[in-house]
Amino acid sequence: MTIQAPSSINTSQYAFKPGKIQQSLANMGKHIPDKVHDFCDLTTKASMKRTTQFAVIAVCVLLARFLQARNNDERREILTRDTGMVFTAIYAVPLLKKVASMFINKKTGIPVAYGEKGLLKNINPEKGLQMASYEQLAEWLSVKNVESFNGIKNGFAGFCRNIKKLGGDLTKCFSMLDKNSKDTLNDLAKSLGYQKEITNKNVVGLIRQAQKSTDKNVLQKLDSLKTMFVGENKLLTNASNLKSVTGASCIAATAFILGGLLPWFNIQHTKKLYEEKKKSENNGLNNEQAKELPVNNSNMMNKFELFQKTGQIV
Amino acid sequence: MNAIKANNFSYSLINKTGTEEQKTSKHAGNIKVKREFKKPAFAATLPVKEGIGKKTLNLALKAVDKIQKYIESGGFIVEFLVVDFAGMVIPRTYQAYHRNEKELGHPNYAAAKEEFTREILSGPSMFLIPFGFLAASKKMFGSASHVKLDTLKKFKEITGKVVNKAKNSNLAQNFYTKVVDNIYGSKIAENAKKVIVNDFLKLHNATSKKEVKDLNKKVTETLISTNKKIGNDKKLGISMADSSRINLDGMTKNVGDFVEECRNYSSDVINAVSAAGKNVNGQLIDKIHDFKEGARKLITTTAVATMSLFLCYIPKLYSQNKEYPGLAGLKTENKATTEQNTKKEELKK
């Protein structure tokens, strides 16, 4: 975009004089296509997009290691170990978090995630349902003080409506706050003449009605309910703990699969292949036949390949 | 038996059943009566040990919570490094160290060394190299090179609009007023806008690192609380579900990142444009932005390219042994292959 200078302003560039090297480098940068830059773009914390990360790991880690491997055993181990790594670290862990947040929400009624549900919308780990940050949980489930109620539109009713909108079950959330919170809510409903049972659907309406009321008794009960949400309340602590346990479980699962299971499998598998080869040798294969025997397959496959090569049934 | 012990923990008897006759007979003590227990709630099951168990559980939860919060506040880099180090480097090196230990008669040092070198170089390099490039770019090309390209283009548009009518002494103020206008439109009162603009200006004028950090936090909080007051507004892209998001002319941004970008841009480009005084013109603005955009493109692309090349080169660094050390100890079975290779080499000669 070219900006038109006002006619009264003379052209001057004295205020901006980068060094020659910097200018040449920046000129070089201008020739980089936007698509290439978009692919390589970094966040303020120097991390790449997940798609870029996936491509870089697949090509520069998996493929590069595979091509530079010293023998077929190493190649096989790289494929097992690093393919698992690419999918577990980039895709499986975020997907696990999505599933966990849905499970938590369904079981406890606490909202711990936001975003669109549905299988297709959640295939891309960066889109769809996202687990809330600790800051977001604090915003959703607690208030600094009852006077301003975090400045939320419609105060307490708006706050509760938001919890419900995020998928939370308000009756379950209220019962977590305090031993008496559910009773207080029921008392409030009675004071307002509610005949129906208090459910997730009518809590917001009840609170909205209570906010409009001038009855001191109603307002007092409403205040005691509001106070339960101030600061580090039990609901927030529960939500925070559930999120932390999910996060820690994801780390543990990653460590178990990538650090434990896959290398262990590789070690055992290679060992077994060599043991099988040794057994084949002892089972009457002559030295020449043993030389032909590949080590990267099962015993049955070894025999089959040997049959193909020598025509002898082993 | 008047007290029942189950799993070494005493339960208090809640009720005794049996006919009245049985209870009052002289054989009452010998009559086995069915005793009913109310299943106590979890918290009341273990009067002594339950306290310790619950306390331990709570302490463990608190510790997990604290660690996870630390990981999250450090961003994806810390998360990746923790996962990488605790989940990959340590267990993989450990397994490699003990690989074929029985066959070898000693730990597999070579395999452990290879595994450690590979893992310690791979994970951290994916962040440290881009991080180094970004740090260098700030020194070489100015802080605006840290601003993402789409934001940089949008800021250029805004600067172009405000510079024409600016007396230039208050260019920063005009810039931020326009930014806040674009974010909130007429949704918030003029006074509220002024408060935000003033906060931004304080951040713009901040000099020390601590001041910048504190004011960054303050402006971020102001924007988030403004978003909360608005609640849900699809047109402005503001949602109660995530009030830490804002929308600048179609670009959805994290408030914290956006505030950082604003500071990086204004302390560099706006200051440069302001320094031109009345001599500022469109050509100068174009020149500055072309330079910053070029620098940004170069830095991000070369950072990712360098990191990719380094990752490709890592196998050369860890493959110091001619033979794959994972096979050490299994070598006796490998003799046939070795002999075959030697024969092949001889034939080639």
Side-chain angles (χ1 to χ4, degrees), chain B residues 64-204:
Chain B
V64 170
D65 204 42
K66 212 173 180 181
I67 294 166
Q68 285 295 318
K69 277 178 182 168
Y70 175 74
I71 291 173
E72 192 178 281
S73 64
F76 193 61
I77 300 176
V78 176
E79 188 180 348
F80 191 90
L81 291 181
V82 169
V83 173
D84 199 51
F85 205 77
M88 308 253 247
V89 180
I90 297 170
R92 283 185 173 187
T93 310
Y94 177 82
Q95 291 205 64
Y97 185 76
H98 293 290
R99 187 170 188 167
N100 308 337
E101 199 174 8
K102 275 184 190 171
E103 290 84 350
L104 283 168
H106 59 80
N108 197 336
Y109 302 112
K113 192 184 160 191
E114 274 203 6
E115 202 80 28
F116 182 77
T117 315
R118 189 184 66 222
E119 296 303 329
I120 205 75
L121 291 175
S122 306
S125 66
M126 288 184 74
F127 294 105
L128 292 176
I129 294 173
F131 200 79
F133 268 86
L134 281 188
S137 85
K138 206 169 191 174
K139 293 230 165 194
M140 276 186 83
F141 303 107
S143 57
S145 62
H146 271 215
V147 180
K148 285 190 135 209
L149 208 63
D150 51 355
T151 321
L152 206 55
K153 284 178 178 168
K154 188 55 65 187
F155 282 166
K156 180 187 172 185
E157 211 178 298
I158 294 172
T159 308
K161 279 177 188 168
V162 294
V163 83
N164 286 344
K165 47 188 174 175
K167 287 171 189 169
N168 236 359
S169 58
N170 51 3
L171 183 62
Q173 190 178 354
N174 292 339
F175 172 77
Y176 280 117
T177 308
K178 185 74 184 157
V179 167
V180 176
D181 263 345
N182 284 10
I183 296 172
Y184 293 116
S186 55
K187 199 75 188 175
I188 58 170
E190 286 304 314
N191 281 343
K193 280 185 191 172
K194 270 182 191 171
V195 172
I196 300 171
V197 171
N198 282 338
D199 281 352
F200 265 124
L201 283 174
K202 279 179 198 164
L203 177 65
H204 170 78

Side-chain angles (χ1 to χ4, degrees), chain A residues 50-279:
Chain A
R50 245 174 232 275
T51 38
T52 313
Q53 227 169 26
F54 180 76
V56 167
I57 294 177
V59 176
C60 305
V61 176
L62 183 62
L63 190 65
R65 285 179 187 177
F66 184 82
L67 294 175
Q68 294 176 69
R70 285 156 286 190
N71 57 35
N72 282 340
D73 288 303
E74 194 181 357
R75 271 181 210 110
R76 177 176 38 76
E77 289 194 7
I78 286 167
L79 275 184
T80 317
R81 187 189 59 215
D82 293 339
T83 313
M85 188 258 288
V86 173
F87 285 100
T88 309
I90 311 283
Y91 285 98
V93 171
L95 289 178
L96 190 69
K97 279 188 180 176
K98 283 173 195 261
V99 174
S101 55
M102 276 167 73
F103 178 78
I104 292 167
N105 188 223
K106 203 169 184 182
K107 282 280 165 195
T108 64
I110 306 174
V112 286
Y114 64 99
E116 288 180 298
K117 289 178 186 172
L119 188 68
L120 287 174
K121 281 165 187 163
N122 282 279
I123 287 175
N124 183 344
E126 281 180 333
K127 290 181 179 169
L129 208 64
Q130 301 293 324
M131 192 167 253
S133 65
Y134 289 103
E135 276 182 13
Q136 280 171 330
L137 285 180
E139 276 171 31
W140 295 351
L141 307 170
S142 78
V143 288
K144 281 177 186 163
N145 54 59
V146 285
E147 284 77 33
S148 69
F149 231 85
N150 285 3
I152 296 166
K153 201 179 174 184
N154 295 330
F156 192 30
F159 176 81
C160 291
R161 190 173 166 266
N162 187 46
I163 293 178
K164 194 183 156 198
K165 214 177 168 186
L166 288 163
D169 186 324
L170 285 167
T171 47
K172 283 185 181 176
C173 289
F174 269 102
S175 62
M176 267 175 231
L177 284 167
D178 189 84
K179 279 179 194 171
N180 307 317
S181 53
K182 212 174 176 181
D183 293 337
T184 317
L185 193 68
N186 286 329
D187 288 348
L188 183 73
K190 275 178 197 168
S191 312
L192 287 164
Y194 263 62
Q195 301 296 325
K196 292 178 205 167
E197 196 193 341
I198 298 298
T199 61
N200 188 33
K201 281 182 183 174
N202 56 19
V203 174
V204 178
L206 172 77
I207 288 164
R208 201 176 287 146
Q209 200 179 328
Q211 279 178 329
K212 286 175 189 167
S213 171
T214 46
D215 185 348
K216 270 187 182 177
N217 186 30
V218 170
L219 290 175
Q220 200 182 348
K221 278 167 192 157
L222 189 68
D223 275 345
S224 65
L225 279 177
K226 280 181 183 178
T227 319
M228 289 173 195
F229 282 98
V230 176
E232 281 266 337
N233 59 60
K234 270 195 172 179
L235 178 63
L236 177 61
T237 312
N238 280 353
S240 177
N241 285 344
L242 287 166
K243 180 184 152 62
S244 298
V245 170
T246 309
S249 308
C250 285
I251 293 177
T254 314
F256 175 72
I257 297 168
L258 302 183
L261 195 66
L262 293 179
W264 174 85
F265 173 79
N266 270 340
I267 293 168
Q268 299 307 318
H269 189 53
T270 306
K271 207 180 240 183
K272 208 177 172 188
L273 289 174
Y274 275 86
E275 275 169 9
E276 278 179 7
K277 196 191 171 191
K278 199 180 175 185
K279 268 185 200 171

Side-chain angles (χ1 to χ4, degrees), chain B residues 2-23:
Chain B
N2 290 326
I4 289 176
K5 287 187 176 179
N7 299 331
N8 297 328
F9 302 122
S10 303
Y11 289 98
S12 59
L13 298 175
I14 310 292
N15 204 359
K16 277 185 180 182
T17 55
T19 61
E20 213 40 51
E21 195 187 336
Q22 283 171 332
K23 283 178 186 174

Side-chain angles (χ1 to χ4, degrees), chain A residues 9 11 32 34 37 41-42 45 65 68 70 77 134 136 139-140 151 240 243-244 258-260, chain B residues 65 72 77 92 95 99 114 122 156 229 241-243 280-281 283 286 296-297 300 312 316 321 324:
Chain A
I9 296 173
T11 303
I32 295 169
D34 277 359
H37 167 264
D41 205 8
L42 300 167
K45 281 170 184 160
R65 285 179 187 177
Q68 294 176 69
R70 285 156 286 190
E77 289 194 7
Y134 289 103
Q136 280 171 330
E139 276 171 31
W140 295 351
S240 177
K243 180 184 152 62
S244 298
L258 302 183
Chain B
D65 204 42
E72 192 178 281
I77 300 176
R92 283 185 173 187
Q95 291 205 64
R99 187 170 188 167
E114 274 203 6
S122 306
K156 180 187 172 185
K229 276 176 196 160
D242 189 6
S243 44
V280 70
N281 61 15
Q283 220 178 329
D286 278 345
R296 172 76 190 171
K297 277 183 170 183
T300 52
C312 288
K316 292 257 181 301
N321 304 297
Y324 180 46

